[in-house]
Amino acid sequence: TMMMDDEVMKVLETLEPSEEETLDCDISSQSTSGERPLSVQLIYAREVDKTGHLQQALDAYAWLVELAAREGNAQIEMNACHRAAQIHRKKGDLSQAITLYHHVLEVARELKDMRTICECFLQLGHLYLGMAKAKNENEAKRVGKEDVLDELLDNAVSNFNSLLTIAQTIHDSRAIGEARKGVGLVLAIKHRYEDALKQFQLYTKRANCKKTGTNKMRANAAQLKAGVLTRMFETDTLGSSLGSNKDVFDKIVELRWQQAALATEAHDDLTIMEAYLKLAHLYENAGSYMDYRGVPKAKEMLQRVLDIGKEMDLKRLGNQGAAMMKKAKDELDRMNNQGCVIS
């Protein structure tokens, strides 16, 4: 049975359209050529969107797309459809988001808008991955599930490869990196860890680029490589080129510390907390790699998670942060109780 890699899927869960998508979807800047019905609907859709009423905004954008298509304004049609796709993704309507992104892609090709074409391929890749995750969780025991998963993952990698081809043609370093990461995510989910690691190493090169790389990207690269190495370590699929088990353990620890440090530079508290949680697990189970003295270090990491979480407001902490705090507290309580047992 195909198992989804929790480490990899956690990256997908934390991706927000606003972070992934670079296209400016403020359609209010588009010319309406004086067409009153279209201009009125454009203003209305924008104002409803600002209120946060998602379904009303979707209804407004749907009508705007129809009006723009009818009046031949492809730019507004594309941007309104793009914004609707973002909202559907935010709501968790992945299938509808995919349908809309395909329409955006079609119009973007007509307009020869390479930036939007790249963005569509990126988003479609991640959306198909999201659907694969949902299928795996909701239909774990259904006969024929593997065929559906394979199809979704094939669709994902096809879109990432399309992005890679275009990005290399137009020399978009950041898009090349995102495509490499996307392919790596698919390979990791398919348990092709060594191939995934190669893709994440290529992503790291792009993340380290001075012009387009960011500390958040570099933290993400360290996170992904650590996750894949951990899975290889746990499933005994390490290649001889990676060195001894002790070498790999030390490398994973080093990557987790890199993740924490780079996430600190990027002010990404959730990624820092995740790094410390992973370090706690590594230290507690280090055994002879740390001369059986890893538990105190593990406790220190768990306390760091709690300290960071306590400083965050509830909105920033979110469900993910709250879950990490609960796990850290439970693990710390367990370790402290074990230490208090009288033999």
Side-chain angles (χ1 to χ4, degrees):
T1 302
M2 181 183 295
M3 297 294 291
M4 293 305 223
D5 186 345
D6 291 340
E7 180 76 26
V8 173
M9 294 316 299
K10 194 170 292 181
V11 176
L12 296 178
E13 291 169 358
T14 57
L15 286 173
E16 288 291 337
S18 60
E19 294 175 348
E20 290 181 67
E21 304 192 24
T22 56
L23 179 68
D24 181 4
C25 283
D26 183 2
I27 61 177
S28 63
S29 63
Q30 303 299 332
S31 171
T32 62
S33 304
E35 299 138 343
R36 179 172 175 79
L38 186 58
S39 63
V40 169
Q41 186 62 24
L42 186 150
I43 294 168
Y44 174 71
R46 181 170 175 260
E47 291 304 313
V48 172
D49 197 355
K50 286 180 179 179
T51 67
H53 294 101
L54 301 185
Q55 189 54 55
Q56 288 181 318
L58 286 172
D59 293 340
Y61 282 123
W63 182 232
L64 181 58
V65 168
E66 184 177 336
L67 275 178
R70 187 188 308 159
E71 299 185 17
N73 194 319
Q75 190 71 50
I76 289 184
E77 178 187 357
M78 182 184 73
N79 284 358
C81 191
H82 193 169
R83 180 57 188 148
Q86 290 178 318
I87 295 173
H88 273 292
R89 178 169 183 169
K90 185 175 183 179
K91 290 181 64 181
D93 301 334
L94 304 190
S95 181
Q96 186 61 32
I98 285 173
T99 299
L100 290 172
Y101 269 114
H102 277 297
H103 184 70
V104 175
L105 181 59
E106 181 182 343
V107 180
R109 281 172 165 158
E110 292 175 3
L111 293 172
K112 295 181 172 56
D113 185 339
M114 301 304 291
R115 185 183 181 189
T116 304
I117 291 170
C118 285
E119 200 60 52
C120 286
F121 282 131
L122 174 63
Q123 296 308 315
L124 284 167
H126 282 299
L127 285 164
Y128 280 118
L129 275 177
M131 286 193 71
K133 176 179 181 290
K135 286 283 184 185
N136 189 70
E137 291 178 347
N138 298 333
E139 304 176 13
K141 297 180 180 179
R142 189 174 69 82
V143 176
K145 181 199 65 168
E146 296 296 334
D147 293 337
V148 177
L149 280 173
D150 286 342
E151 181 180 354
L152 289 170
L153 293 174
D154 287 346
N155 285 336
V157 81
S158 175
N159 279 283
F160 288 132
N161 282 332
S162 293
L163 169 61
L164 180 61
T165 299
I166 295 175
Q168 288 174 330
T169 301
I170 63 177
H171 306 291
D172 187 330
S173 180
R174 184 164 186 150
I176 291 171
E178 290 299 320
R180 294 293 190 191
K181 181 174 77 170
V183 173
L185 289 169
V186 175
L187 292 170
I189 292 170
K190 289 187 171 185
H191 298 180
R192 292 173 55 186
Y193 298 124
E194 194 167 344
D195 291 333
L197 185 60
K198 290 177 183 177
Q199 293 295 324
F200 293 149
Q201 287 168 338
L202 290 169
Y203 171 62
T204 302
K205 289 183 179 180
R206 299 294 172 174
N208 288 335
C209 178
K210 290 184 178 179
K211 288 186 178 180
T212 57
T214 64
N215 283 323
K216 187 165 187 173
M217 289 173 64
R218 288 185 274 273
N220 187 206
Q223 178 185 36
L224 291 168
K225 289 186 291 184
V228 169
L229 283 173
T230 299
R231 293 300 295 146
M232 294 173 76
F233 186 85
E234 293 173 346
T235 57
D236 198 25
T237 54
L238 293 168
S240 57
S241 61
L242 294 172
S244 66
N245 283 3
K246 175 65 164 58
D247 292 333
V248 175
F249 175 85
D250 290 341
K251 182 62 178 177
I252 295 171
V253 170
E254 178 187 348
L255 285 167
R256 289 301 182 190
W257 277 111
Q258 284 181 16
Q259 175 186 338
L262 290 164
T264 299
E265 292 292 324
H267 306 290
D268 186 350
D269 289 332
L270 293 178
T271 301
I272 303 169
M273 293 169 69
E274 196 254 5
Y276 288 147
L277 265 182
K278 295 294 184 181
L279 282 166
H281 178 75
L282 286 164
Y283 287 140
E284 183 185 12
N285 296 282
S288 60
Y289 295 153
M290 293 184 64
D291 296 324
Y292 302 96
R293 292 180 295 185
V295 172
K297 194 71 175 175
K299 290 182 179 180
E300 178 189 338
M301 297 299 102
L302 294 171
Q303 188 59 54
R304 289 193 184 195
V305 174
L306 295 174
D307 291 343
I308 294 171
K310 289 174 183 176
E311 294 297 318
M312 297 171 66
D313 60 53
L314 290 177
K315 184 176 181 180
R316 277 203 308 136
L317 188 65
N319 292 334
Q320 183 189 2
M324 286 192 286
M325 285 192 71
K326 183 180 186 306
K327 184 173 182 180
K329 183 179 184 307
D330 291 346
E331 290 295 300
L332 191 57
D333 289 344
R334 176 181 59 79
M335 290 183 196
N336 286 333
N337 290 335
Q338 285 178 343
C340 293
V341 174
I342 300 175
S343 57

